[in-house]
Amino acid sequence: MSITADNLNKKPTRIDMAIAKLLLLALVLISAQGSDTQRCSVSDIQVQTVNARSRGSGPNGDTLFQVRVKNLCPCSVRNVRIDGRGFSSTLDVDPSLFRAEGGGVYLVKGGRRIASMATVSFLYSWDHYFELTPKSLEVEEDRCY
């Protein structure tokens, strides 16, 4: 069929409208699905380390630090891993909160769920601060708010 001025002036049929609605719906669903998979990333995990007490208050006279790992993602996450190469502590760190997995990688909260906007905190003691950065996570797509 060739396009002519007469074809352009015709009213759309019910079939044309149904096809247009289906295409629009498909486009909306595809774009919504794409945004869900992009909804959360390691940049949504905030790791803050603050001095909990001054030098000399921890074992061996070390400084006591508090680490707060906060989930800023609108979804719950699990299996949050932190790159903490070189991390050490003269104070025992609760392994259910922060556990070494090898290669400088640490698992937060034993891999269990961290709800949206929730924070996991733990203390460590050393003579200096360690850089702790989010490495990976799994998003619980069915638990988004």
Side-chain angles (χ1 to χ4, degrees):
M1 177 172 140
S2 63
I3 297 177
T4 65
D6 290 336
N7 290 345
L8 293 175
N9 291 330
K10 286 185 179 179
K11 285 187 174 180
T13 65
R14 283 186 172 173
I15 293 174
D16 293 335
M17 293 303 289
I19 290 171
K21 286 179 182 178
L22 284 173
L23 288 173
L24 181 61
L25 179 62
L27 184 62
V28 168
L29 289 174
I30 288 169
S31 66
Q33 182 182 17
S35 66
D36 278 347
T37 59
Q38 301 295 321
R39 187 174 278 188
C40 304
S41 69
V42 292
S43 65
D44 293 306
I45 301 300
Q46 179 185 64
V47 181
Q48 289 182 314
T49 303
V50 295
N51 284 4
R53 293 201 190 108
S54 63
R55 186 165 179 78
S57 58
N60 300 328
D62 293 329
T63 303
L64 192 61
F65 296 96
Q66 181 183 42
V67 177
R68 298 179 193 130
V69 180
K70 185 172 186 177
N71 176 17
L72 300 176
C73 172
C75 303
S76 293
V77 296
R78 66 174 181 248
N79 290 322
V80 174
R81 288 180 170 79
I82 301 290
D83 185 353
R85 211 167 291 278
F87 178 83
S88 194
S89 178
T90 54
L91 177 71
D92 289 336
V93 176
D94 183 347
S96 70
L97 298 176
F98 194 70
R99 179 180 74 223
E101 288 201 312
V105 176
Y106 291 79
L107 185 64
V108 177
K109 199 179 171 188
R112 295 183 314 278
R113 174 182 302 131
I114 303 172
S116 177
M117 303 310 291
T119 300
V120 177
S121 297
F122 63 90
L123 297 171
Y124 77 88
S125 182
W126 200 248
D127 64 356
H128 65 275
Y129 155 91
F130 288 99
E131 177 102 20
L132 303 174
T133 56
K135 182 173 180 63
S136 65
L137 57 84
E138 291 177 27
V139 178
E140 294 187 342
E141 292 290 343
D142 60 334
R143 295 193 173 266
C144 299
Y145 307 100

